[in-house]
């Protein structure tokens, strides 16, 4: 096994230097099977994936110039955990396990992973391969297709590539920094236990609505979320509502890396005296989401974000001196610039042989420092699952969202946990 240190990518630098003992950017992807989970087969599957996903089985280490990753031991008693403890921060100080955990409970398998390792697309590839390997161990023949990786193949250089560095090109320009702070909902309410409000609804029913409006599912759900905030916004606030959504850069730049390779764009609803209709919010959303295919814009965003790390003073200053500057940047350009994130992982495809063993997938964003609510959506078969996570007790925004969905004719099965 290669024991050389692995440099952090741009996103990993941010998450690794801003984490605390009680908080870090951990998120969850889950699959609900049609049969009870066999814990021993699951542990075997986790061990088998070690050499296929070398950038996942790592621990975070301090260095003189930069933090970095190094290979971690694979103690499945540390990694595979019984229970359903929602998105607890992964212990980045644990030297006996990598920066992810696999929880199992009943028919559910959940991957809780530190965002420094990968983004949603990379984590989904890992989870699909894990579940396929699990069923292969149980005696089913699951082929390595539809995003399931073959354990017989060596990791490719492309999979291990830091896309931000590969495509950084300062000659193509940067974007100016500086934005107005966003409206923050429930910010004065004390935090309580981490809770989940989840709605599950039909793709067919949803597409009946989106076709009539002439928009995509992603555009409709993002606009509905933004509008739900608008209907519940504190009247005294004059700050704009800003809903951020991640953009997977792999298709735009043609790089199938398993590391972080995404950026965020923002749907901004400026403050104004007149009221907004849902159609107006939808039109704003459609225009913003269209930017996710604008390679020139995304190139400038890469240059802006990666450029700071490429400066000589940044590269060669000691790691301990970098931390306060990265923290300051996070405070200025991080969560204060958004009202809430909504992450759409899209439609999950798996081999036909695996599909019959799966009921549905869901995704959960872990608690953030300033944003009251986080939203994630994922689709499998005819099931769309929308998950809101929060540490606040009030649920006006969530209730409004699902109420509007029902009014549009989309029946929703809601669970709160």
């Amino acid at each position: 096994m290669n024991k050389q240190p692995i440099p952090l990518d741009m996103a990993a630098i941010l998450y690794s230097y801003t984490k605390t003992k009680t908080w870090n950017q951990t998120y969850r992807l889950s699959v609900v099977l049609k049969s009870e989970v066999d814990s021993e087969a699951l542990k075997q599957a986790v061990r088998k994936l070690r050499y296929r996903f070398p950038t996942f089985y790592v621990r975070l280490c301090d260095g003189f110039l930069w933090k970095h990753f190094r290979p971690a031991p694979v103690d499945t008693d540390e990694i595979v955990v019984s229970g359903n403890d929602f998105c607890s921060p992964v212990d980045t100080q644990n030297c006996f396990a990598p920066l992810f955990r696999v929880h199992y409970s009943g028919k559910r398998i959940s991957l809780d992973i530190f965002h420094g390792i990968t983004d949603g697309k990379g984590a989904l590839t890992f989870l699909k391969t894990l579940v396929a390997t699990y069923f292969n161990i149980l005696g089913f023949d699951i082929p390595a297709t539809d995003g399931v990786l073959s354990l017989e193949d060596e990791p490719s250089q492309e999979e291990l590539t830091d896309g931000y560095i590969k495509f950084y090109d300062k000659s193509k320009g940067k974007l100016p920094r500086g934005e107005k702070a966003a409206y923050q909902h429930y910010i004065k309410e004390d935090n309580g236990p981490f809770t989940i409000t989840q709605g599950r609804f039909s793709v067919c029913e949803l597409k009946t609505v989106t076709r009539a409006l002439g928009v995509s599912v992603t555009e409709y759900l993002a606009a509905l979320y933004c509008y739900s905030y608008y209907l519940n916004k504190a009247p005294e606030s004059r700050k704009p509502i800003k809903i951020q959504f991640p953009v997977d850069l792999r298709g735009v730049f043609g790089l199938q890396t398993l590391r972080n390779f995404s950026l965020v764009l923002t749907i901004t609803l400026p403050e104004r005296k007149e009221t907004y209709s849902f159609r107006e919010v939808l039109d704003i959303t459609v225009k913003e989401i269209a930017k996710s295919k604008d390679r020139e814009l995304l190139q400038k965003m890469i240059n802006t974000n990666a450029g700071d790390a490429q400066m000589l003073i940044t590269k060669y200053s000691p790691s301990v001196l970098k931390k306060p500057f990265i923290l300051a940047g996070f405070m200025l350009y991080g969560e204060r610039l958004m009202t809430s994130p909504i992450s759409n992982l899209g439609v999950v495809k798996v081999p036909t042989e695996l599909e019959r063993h799966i009921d549905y997938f869901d995704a959960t964003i872990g608690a953030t420092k300033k944003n009251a609510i986080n939203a994630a959506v994922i689709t499998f078969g005819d099931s769309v699952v929308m998950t809101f996570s929060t540490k606040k007790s009030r649920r006006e925004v969530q209730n409004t969202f699902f109420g509007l969905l029902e009014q549009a004719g989309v029946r929703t099965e809601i669970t709160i946990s």
Side-chain angles (χ1 to χ4, degrees):
M1 180 176 63
N2 186 354
K3 295 186 179 181
Q4 292 298 312
I6 301 171
L8 305 183
D9 61 47
M10 184 186 72
I13 289 172
L14 176 64
Y15 300 133
S16 297
Y17 280 86
T18 57
K19 70 178 182 64
T20 67
K21 289 183 179 180
T22 58
W23 173 86
N24 58 46
Q25 287 278 14
T26 297
Y27 62 97
R28 165 172 288 193
L29 297 182
S30 299
V31 58
V32 178
L33 308 177
K34 293 183 179 178
S35 57
E36 295 285 321
V37 175
D38 182 324
S39 61
E40 289 306 312
L42 184 59
K43 288 180 180 180
Q44 288 183 48
V46 167
R47 284 193 290 268
K48 277 180 170 286
L49 266 61
R50 179 182 189 179
Y51 297 105
R52 187 64 185 82
F53 291 85
T55 56
F56 283 64
Y57 288 75
V58 294
R59 55 194 174 92
L60 184 63
C61 301
D62 289 317
F64 177 71
L65 291 178
W66 290 101
K67 293 178 183 289
H68 57 268
F69 293 134
R70 285 189 181 272
V74 182
D75 181 348
T76 52
D77 289 334
E78 291 278 340
I79 301 170
V80 182
V81 183
S82 174
N84 200 32
D85 188 14
F86 291 115
C87 276
S88 294
V90 170
D91 183 3
T92 57
Q93 305 302 315
N94 187 343
C95 294
F96 300 99
L99 299 171
F100 67 85
R101 299 293 177 270
V102 177
H103 293 255
Y104 67 93
S105 177
K107 299 178 181 179
R108 176 182 290 269
I109 297 173
S110 298
L111 171 68
D112 284 6
I113 188 164
F114 175 51
H115 210 323
I117 297 299
T118 190
D119 54 23
K121 177 63 182 299
L124 190 56
T125 299
F126 181 88
L127 180 60
K128 292 198 296 184
T129 305
L130 176 66
V131 176
T133 303
Y134 165 82
F135 278 106
N136 279 326
I137 291 169
L138 292 179
F140 299 94
D141 186 15
I142 310 297
T145 61
D146 297 285
V148 171
L149 301 187
S150 170
L151 302 191
E152 303 299 318
D153 294 339
E154 292 288 327
S156 69
Q157 188 57 48
E158 184 176 16
E159 292 170 356
L160 309 179
T161 296
D162 179 349
Y164 303 114
I165 297 301
K166 178 179 175 63
F167 290 100
Y168 171 68
D169 184 352
K170 64 180 180 180
S171 70
K172 295 185 178 179
K174 299 166 68 173
L175 295 179
R177 289 194 185 275
E179 291 184 41
K180 290 184 178 179
Y183 169 68
Q184 300 283 336
H185 203 57
Y186 308 158
I187 195 65
K188 295 181 180 179
E189 183 185 337
D190 291 337
N191 285 340
F194 189 71
T195 59
I196 302 295
T197 303
Q198 187 172 92
R200 187 178 174 193
F201 41 94
S202 164
V203 172
C204 291
E205 289 187 0
L206 183 61
K207 284 191 172 181
T208 299
V209 176
T210 59
R211 285 193 192 103
L213 292 169
V215 297
S216 70
V217 166
T218 297
E219 291 163 344
Y220 178 76
L221 293 177
L224 199 66
Y225 189 39
C226 187
Y227 192 57
S228 298
Y229 265 105
Y230 170 69
L231 294 178
N232 288 280
K233 185 179 179 183
E236 67 275 10
S237 174
R238 289 296 177 264
K239 292 180 178 179
I241 293 171
K242 296 184 177 184
I243 303 298
Q244 287 193 345
F245 61 97
V247 177
D248 180 11
L249 300 176
R250 292 168 178 81
V252 177
F253 289 89
L255 180 72
Q256 295 307 309
T257 181
L258 290 176
R259 304 184 70 184
N260 285 295
F261 196 41
S262 57
L263 293 170
V264 293
L265 292 176
T266 306
I267 302 162
T268 301
L269 196 63
E271 179 62 32
R272 72 181 195 190
K273 293 181 180 180
E274 301 84 4
T275 58
Y276 280 101
S277 68
F278 175 65
R279 183 73 242 189
E280 288 176 305
V281 175
L282 186 57
D283 290 342
I284 291 170
T285 301
V286 168
K287 288 179 182 178
E288 291 301 325
I289 291 181
K291 294 177 183 178
S292 64
K293 297 179 174 64
D294 185 341
R295 178 165 175 151
E296 182 179 349
L297 171 66
L298 298 174
Q299 176 68 66
K300 289 181 179 179
M301 292 178 70
I302 289 175
N303 294 343
T304 301
N305 294 335
D308 293 344
Q310 299 306 305
M311 293 188 299
L312 291 178
I313 191 171
T314 306
K315 274 188 173 183
Y316 298 111
S317 62
S319 179
V320 67
L321 297 181
K322 289 184 174 84
K323 183 169 183 175
F325 287 100
I326 295 172
L327 279 171
F330 178 72
M331 295 300 292
L332 285 172
Y333 306 117
E335 293 175 9
R336 67 182 287 274
L337 298 184
M338 67 171 163
T339 303
S340 178
I342 179 170
S343 180
N344 188 348
L345 282 87
V347 179
V348 181
K349 298 290 187 183
V350 299
T352 304
E353 295 85 346
L354 180 58
E355 189 173 354
R356 63 190 181 91
H357 296 285
I358 296 173
D359 191 2
Y360 64 92
F361 285 80
D362 60 38
T364 306
I365 300 176
T368 51
K369 286 186 175 182
K370 291 182 70 68
N371 305 122
I373 312 169
N374 302 286
V377 58
I378 193 167
T379 303
F380 178 76
D382 189 47
S383 289
V384 183
V385 180
M386 185 89 173
T387 305
F388 298 102
S389 52
T390 184
K391 283 193 169 184
K392 308 297 183 181
S393 61
R394 293 156 57 188
R395 294 190 178 87
E396 295 99 330
V397 172
Q398 298 95 311
N399 293 340
T400 298
F401 179 90
F402 289 125
L404 292 171
L405 206 56
E406 292 273 358
Q407 288 175 28
V410 182
R411 294 167 295 175
T412 307
E413 178 186 337
I414 299 172
T415 57
I416 298 174
S417 55

